[in-house]
C-alpha cells in the first residue's frame, strides 16, 4: 500500500515540481532585471544587490530540493519562506519610497514560488499557512497599505489555496484510479481461474453425474454426490469468492510455434506466434467439420490458446445441449485486421432467456469460458440462436500489430 501511494504521488506531482523548478529560475532572473532597470530609485542599492545576490545563489543551490516531494522537506520549506519574507521586509531599507508608492518588493513574484512549494507539498492547508505569512509581511512592508496592496495579497492567498486544493483532488483521483485498476486486475484473475475451473473440474463433475445416473447402483450415488459438488462449486465461482490466484498456462500440444520477424521498416525483432489451425484441427471428427485457410493463421501464442479454449467451450456446449447426434462446423477466417472463428451446430437452439437463467444458476460457460476470454483478448463473442434452427457463435480477435499473415508453410 505504501509503495503504491508513493507511485501515485510521483505521478501527480512530478509535472508540478518540474514547473515549480522552472518558475523559480525565471522569477529570480526577473527580480534581478527589475532591480537593475530600476536601480536609480534605490537609496541603498547595496542592500538590494546583497539580497538579490543571495537570492540567486539560494535559488540555484536549492533547485534539487524542488524537484520532488521527497527532497522538499519541511525544514527547507521553512527556510525558503524565511528568505522570501526577509526580502519583503527589507525592501524599505533599499527603497525608502516603497512604503509610499505601490511597487514591487525585492523578491517580487519569486515569493509566489515559495508559497507554491507549500501548496504542492502539503495541499491547501499548507498553502494557506504560507500565504498568510506572506500577506502579513506585505502589509507590514507597506506601512500604510492601499487597496491595491490588499487586492494583491488576497489574490496570492486565494490562488495558492486553490492550487493546493487542486493538488489534493488530483492525488485523490489518482488513488481512486489506482484502486480501480487493482480491483479490475483482481477481477480478471478471478475470471481466468473460474474459466479454468469450468473447463476442467466442473466438466468432469457433470460427466460423472451423468454417467453415474445412467449406470445406476452405487455409481448413481457417486453421480449424486458429484452433482452436489458441482452445484456448490458453481455457486462459489459465480459468487466471486474464488481467490485471484494466477494460473499458469501450459504450452498447447501440437501447436506450431514460429518466430515472426518484423517488417524491415520496423527494425529487427521477433514475437512468438501460433498457427491457430494446429490448435483447432484436433476438434475435427465424424460429427465436426473444420474449414481452414490454406495459409497459417498466426496469432500470439497466448491469444491463440485462449481463442482455441473458447472454441472448445462452444463445442462442449454443443455436445451437452444439442445432443449426441448434433453436427458442428468450425470455420476460420483470416482477415487483415482480425481473426474470425465461427462455431455452428444444427441442434435445437437456445430458448430466449436461457443464457441469463443459466448465468443466475452459476452455469458460466458462455459468460466466462467464451465471452470472458474474448473480452480479455480485446475481441468479441456474438451468439446467434433461433429455437429449432441451431446455434452460431462468432468469435473475433483483433490481430496484434506485429503478427502478420504469411504464405503457406512459412511466415514473413
Amino acid at each position: 500500500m505504501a509503495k503504491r501511494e508513493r507511485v501515485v504521488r510521483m505521478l501527480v506531482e512530478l509535472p508540478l515540481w518540474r514547473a515549480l523548478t522552472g518558475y523559480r529560475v525565471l522569477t529570480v532572473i526577473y527580480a534581478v532585471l527589475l532591480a537593475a532597470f530600476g536601480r536609480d530609485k534605490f537609496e541603498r542599492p547595496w542592500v538590494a544587490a546583497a539580497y538579490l545576490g543571495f537570492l540567486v545563489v539560494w535559488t540555484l543551490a536549492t533547485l534539487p530540493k524542488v524537484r520532488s516531494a521527497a527532497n522538499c522537506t519541511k525544514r527547507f520549506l521553512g527556510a525558503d519562506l524565511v528568505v522570501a519574507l526577509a526580502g519583503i521586509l527589507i525592501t524599505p531599507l533599499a527603497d525608502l519610497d516603497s512604503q509610499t508608492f505601490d511597487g514591487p518588493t525585492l523578491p517580487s513574484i519569486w515569493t509566489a514560488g515559495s508559497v507554491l512549494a507549500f501548496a504542492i507539498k502539503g495541499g491547501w492547508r499548507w498553502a494557506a499557512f504560507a500565504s498568510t505569512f506572506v500577506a502579513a509581511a506585505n502589509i507590514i512592508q507597506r506601512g500604510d497599505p492601499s487597496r491595491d496592496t490588499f487586492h494583491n495579497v488576497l489574490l496570492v492567498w486565494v490562488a495558492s489555496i486553490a492550487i493546493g486544493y487542486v493538488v489534493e483532488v488530483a492525488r485523490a483521483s489518482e488513488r481512486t484510479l489506482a484502486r480501480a485498476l487493482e480491483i479490475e486486475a483482481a477481477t480478471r484473475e478471478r475470471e481466468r481461474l473460474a474459466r479454468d475451473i469450468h473447463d476442467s473440474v466442473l466438466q468432469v463433475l457433470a460427466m460423472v453425474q451423468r454417467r453415474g445416473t445412467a449406470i445406476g447402483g452405487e455409481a448413481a450415488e457417486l453421480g449424486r454426490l458429484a452433482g452436489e459438488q458441482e452445484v456448490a462449486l458453481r455457486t462459489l465461482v459465480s459468487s466471486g469468492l474464488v481467490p485471484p490466484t494466477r494460473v499458469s498456462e501450459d504450452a498447447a500440444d501440437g501447436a506450431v510455434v514460429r518466430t515472426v520477424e518484423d517488417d524491415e521498416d520496423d527494425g529487427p525483432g521477433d514475437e512468438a506466434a501460433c498457427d491457430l489451425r494446429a490448435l483447432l484441427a484436433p476438434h475435427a471428427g465424424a460429427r465436426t467439420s473444420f474449414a481452414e485457410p490454406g495459409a497459417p493463421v498466426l496469432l500470439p501464442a497466448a491469444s491463440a490458446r485462449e481463442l482455441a479454449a473458447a472454441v472448445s467451450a462452444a463445442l462442449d456446449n454443443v455436445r451437452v445441449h444439442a445432443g449426441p447426434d448434433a453436427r458442428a462446423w468450425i470455420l476460420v477466417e483470416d482477415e487483415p485486421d482480425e481473426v474470425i472463428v465461427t462455431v455452428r451446430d444444427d441442434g435445437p437452439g437456445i430458448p430466449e432467456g436461457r443464457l441469463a437463467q443459466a448465468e443466475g444458476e452459476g452455469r458460466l460457460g458462455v459468460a466466462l469460458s467464451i465471452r470472458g476470454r474474448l473480452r480479455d483478448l480485446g475481441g468479441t463473442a456474438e451468439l446467434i440462436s433461433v429455437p429449432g434452427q441451431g446455434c452460431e457463435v462468432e468469435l473475433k480477435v483483433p490481430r496484434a500489430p506485429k503478427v502478420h499473415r504469411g504464405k503457406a508453410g512459412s511466415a514473413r
Side-chain angles (χ1 to χ4, degrees):
M1 178 65 71
K3 183 177 180 180
R4 187 177 74 240
E5 184 73 17
R6 288 195 298 270
V7 172
V8 168
R9 290 176 67 89
M10 182 186 70
L11 291 175
V12 175
E13 297 170 3
L14 186 58
L16 298 177
W17 289 115
R18 288 176 177 172
L20 180 60
T21 301
Y23 178 87
R24 288 168 66 91
V25 172
L26 292 177
T27 52
V28 76
I29 295 174
Y30 175 77
V32 171
L33 292 177
L34 197 65
F37 286 115
R39 60 184 179 275
D40 294 337
K41 71 175 183 177
F42 291 114
E43 284 77 9
R44 299 184 181 91
W46 62 269
V47 174
Y51 174 79
L52 291 174
F54 172 79
L55 188 64
V56 171
V57 174
W58 172 262
T59 300
L60 297 178
T62 58
L63 285 181
K65 292 289 187 180
V66 291
R67 287 177 180 169
S68 67
N71 295 337
C72 189
T73 61
K74 293 181 180 179
R75 180 176 298 179
F76 162 73
L77 288 175
D80 199 54
L81 184 61
V82 168
V83 171
L85 297 178
I88 295 173
L89 295 176
I90 67 173
T91 297
L93 296 179
D95 182 9
L96 299 179
D97 294 331
S98 63
Q99 292 184 318
T100 305
F101 301 100
D102 285 325
T105 59
L106 287 177
S108 184
I109 57 176
W110 183 93
T111 305
S114 179
V115 177
L116 289 176
F118 273 85
I120 299 174
K121 175 71 175 181
W124 70 269
R125 293 175 180 84
W126 288 34
F129 172 83
S131 57
T132 299
F133 277 94
V134 171
N138 275 284
I139 293 174
I140 293 172
Q141 178 264 330
R142 287 289 300 133
D144 184 19
S146 64
R147 187 172 65 178
D148 288 340
T149 301
F150 283 110
H151 173 77
N152 294 334
V153 165
L154 182 63
L155 182 63
V156 172
W157 194 72
V158 172
S160 61
I161 291 177
I163 293 174
Y165 179 75
V166 169
V167 170
E168 290 188 359
V169 170
R171 287 175 183 158
S173 299
E174 286 282 353
R175 286 193 296 268
T176 301
L177 177 60
R179 179 58 180 162
L181 292 175
E182 183 179 291
I183 293 174
E184 181 185 6
T187 301
R188 289 185 179 276
E189 288 295 332
R190 290 189 180 96
E191 289 185 356
R192 279 193 286 269
L193 181 56
R195 286 197 297 266
D196 232 34
I197 293 173
H198 176 273
D199 294 345
S200 55
V201 182
L202 289 177
Q203 297 287 1
V204 172
L205 290 174
M207 183 187 69
V208 171
Q209 182 188 18
R210 291 194 302 272
R211 295 295 300 275
T213 303
I215 296 172
E218 293 183 359
E221 177 63 16
L222 292 176
R224 184 186 65 81
L225 294 175
E228 292 178 356
Q229 294 303 311
E230 179 194 4
V231 172
L233 188 53
R234 286 187 187 277
T235 302
L236 183 65
V237 170
S238 60
S239 66
L241 297 178
V242 178
T245 306
R246 186 171 298 278
V247 180
S248 61
E249 296 179 344
D250 297 330
D253 294 336
V256 179
V257 181
R258 294 187 177 92
T259 296
V260 181
E261 298 181 355
D262 295 343
D263 288 338
E264 294 180 359
D265 294 339
D266 297 334
D270 57 81
E271 180 180 359
C274 257
D275 185 355
L276 181 64
R277 303 177 306 168
L279 298 177
L280 298 182
H283 293 299
R287 310 204 66 81
T288 303
S289 300
F290 178 45
E292 58 181 316
V297 181
L298 297 177
L299 282 174
S303 299
R305 286 194 298 266
E306 288 294 283
L307 181 54
V311 172
S312 179
L315 293 174
D316 286 339
N317 286 337
V318 173
R319 286 189 288 268
V320 173
H321 301 292
D325 297 329
R327 289 187 57 84
W329 292 265
I330 304 173
L331 173 63
V332 179
E333 300 174 79
D334 194 10
E335 302 293 340
D337 299 325
E338 62 184 0
V339 173
I340 305 173
V341 180
T342 304
V343 180
R344 184 170 61 86
D345 65 74
D346 60 357
I350 303 176
E352 186 176 355
R354 176 55 186 154
L355 288 179
Q357 179 185 355
E359 189 170 345
E361 295 172 353
R363 300 181 179 276
L364 305 176
V366 174
L368 289 181
S369 292
I370 299 178
R371 286 177 176 159
R373 279 191 165 95
L374 271 293
R375 182 182 64 247
D376 288 350
L377 296 176
T380 59
E382 184 178 356
L383 191 146
I384 304 171
S385 179
V386 178
Q389 299 182 22
C391 179
E392 180 177 304
V393 180
E394 186 179 69
L395 311 174
K396 295 182 179 180
V397 175
R399 184 179 299 281
K402 291 186 179 181
V403 178
H404 305 285
R405 291 182 297 171
K407 298 180 180 178
S410 63
R412 64 177 179 88

